[in-house]
Amino acid sequence: MATAMLKPLSRLLTSRGALRHIAAQMWDPRWLTRNLSRLVQAKHADLLLDDFLRQFETKVPYDRWIAVHERLDAASLKAMRANVDTFRRRPRFSIVVPTYETAPEVLTPFLDSVLAQVYPDWELCIADDASRQPHVRATLERYAANDPRIKVTVRTTNGHIAEATNTALEMASGDFICLMDHDDTIAPNALYEFALALDADPDLDFIYSDEDKITADGQTRYEPFFKPDWSPEYLESCMYTAHFACYRTSIVRRVGGFRKEFNGAQDYDFVLRFVEHIGKAAHIPKILYHWRAIPGSTAASMDNKDYVIDAAVRALTEHIERTGRLAFVRPNRYGGCFDVRRQVEGEPKVSIVIPSAGRPSEIRGEMVDLVVNCVRSIAQTSSYRNLELIVVHNGDLRPETVEALDAYGVVYVHYTDPVFNIAAKMNLGAQAATGDYVLFLNDDTEVINPDWLEAMLSLAQRPGVGVVGAKLYFEDGTLQHVGVTFCAGLPDHIRRGFSGDDPGYFFSTVGQRNYMAVTGACMLLRRALFEEVGGFEEALAINYNDIDLCLKVWDRGLRIVYTAQAELFHFESRNRERSVAAHEQAIFLERWGERVSTDPFYSPYFAARPPNFELILC
């Protein structure tokens, strides 16, 4: 290698700490062979080196992660206090808390965590719900006497959590409302992070943070929840925003606080009503809330309480009815996660474009004509009937294949270019489409559930949604696709090869959720939108053309949605080595590398090779 090439490579390796990996001989020679020549190109060297180094991520226990990443020492907190003086805006936060028979060993830490806030412009509004234990009132009165920001009222009758929270809300005078439970704690920088976000963008109506759980004795933190950025479809699958969050007070007043008939899921009902009125939401990717798991607490037992599930179903039902026409809301078999669907509006025509080479393959021990099997599964399984089936072929379909496809009224499109280009084939198929929506589908797929198209259409019709992707399984029932994430500008499938029963990270595989991209093996969008963004990029002849399409849609401010309610087999070889041509990777990085160097829906604290939501040090 020339000396001129070694210098930039050496600089990058040294500055990024890669030498320790080289010394330990942990590299993958195949990766170096594919990428060494591009590593030395200044334009993409940082991205590719990040991709290289992420292969050596070491999975760590949570306590180790805390020690490395949470630097909340005296000096850091002092710097935050000083920085508050530079804020152009100083919103007041009203922390609203109902208490009831709170044990002293958790009541005091809760109060102390609020007093420890480095951001000073807050008030703590506490409504005690007629506790009989004298220490509760005595403790609250003592704290209130020592700090005028603490307001306490004592209810004479027990009204349960919704009514007690509303009583506390009546005392709130802040610009934003924050909700806490009486046995939990917040990090000392919690309100500071909210204020910092609002100083940068005063139009935010809703802010939420990451959270974890803490044992009853307060000694051990566990089960961190590193959340995605604002994900409206995910919120309809589970109450993911939870703690710690702040809500613009004017909107809280508009929606009317909490409703007692939803006790058990009163927070979920409140948030669903609240977000119907917001303009902008933000996620603080930091652990700011510690949810104490004690006997009887929601953190410890919510999944086992039928009344919680029932209240959540009713809250979701009303939310869907306010924002569309309800098809159904039901709890799925993973406690705390829900299947939600709106009615499909009208009966729009769906053009299903299937590029095919007309090849046979072995499935379940038998040789099968892939495209015939795919089309047959659509025609015989699907309950949605307003379909157009378009097969894009190379002109070499076997007579028996044509005969079988003719039975299903297939439209044939002949791709004549001798050079293989899957993007061009799909574009050609889309040009022949006459439907309102176009669904791109690999020929090595097979429909599982009859209402798969209704599930995808109901989402694609939602305002703000651009592309919808499905849940795909390998032949052996393991996961092939449940969403796509990015690392160092390059995409990969999440939890690929996990059990088909895997619920994912906080229901990531079994509900619906937003990502930046989904696979083109089964992808639905409006035909007009497809045309507006220019279709598939034909320079990406084999790889990344589907991801590029999603990113063009996402770049327009539209959401990409994965749904587990559309299930198909994808008979792609699980053991096939996945590789991408160097020139296609270069084209993709040139266009998107910097934009997707981080993924708003997948924490940088998770391993990216493979992307399985496993905590690492980085």
Side-chain angles (χ1 to χ4, degrees), residues 468-485:
V468 180
K471 184 174 189 177
L472 306 180
Y473 302 89
F474 287 111
E475 182 180 344
D476 63 2
T478 57
L479 298 177
Q480 193 271 336
H481 171 265
V482 290
V484 172
T485 190

Side-chain angles (χ1 to χ4, degrees), residues 300-358:
S301 59
M302 71 169 292
D303 291 346
N304 298 319
K305 291 185 178 293
D306 290 341
Y307 77 89
V308 173
I309 301 299
D310 176 69
V313 167
R314 288 187 285 109
L316 279 165
T317 297
E318 291 197 10
H319 168 68
I320 299 302
E321 289 174 339
R322 289 191 300 268
T323 58
R325 292 195 304 130
L326 176 71
F328 59 77
V329 173
R330 62 194 180 207
N332 61 33
R333 61 194 179 99
Y334 302 93
C337 185
F338 304 89
D339 295 331
V340 171
R341 189 180 302 172
R342 291 167 176 79
Q343 291 279 5
V344 173
E345 297 295 333
E347 195 178 355
K349 185 177 184 180
V350 178
S351 298
I352 302 180
V353 175
I354 308 170
S356 179

Side-chain angles (χ1 to χ4, degrees), residues 287-299:
I287 302 285
L288 301 182
Y289 194 91
H290 312 302
W291 196 4
R292 194 182 303 268
I294 59 177
S297 75
T298 305

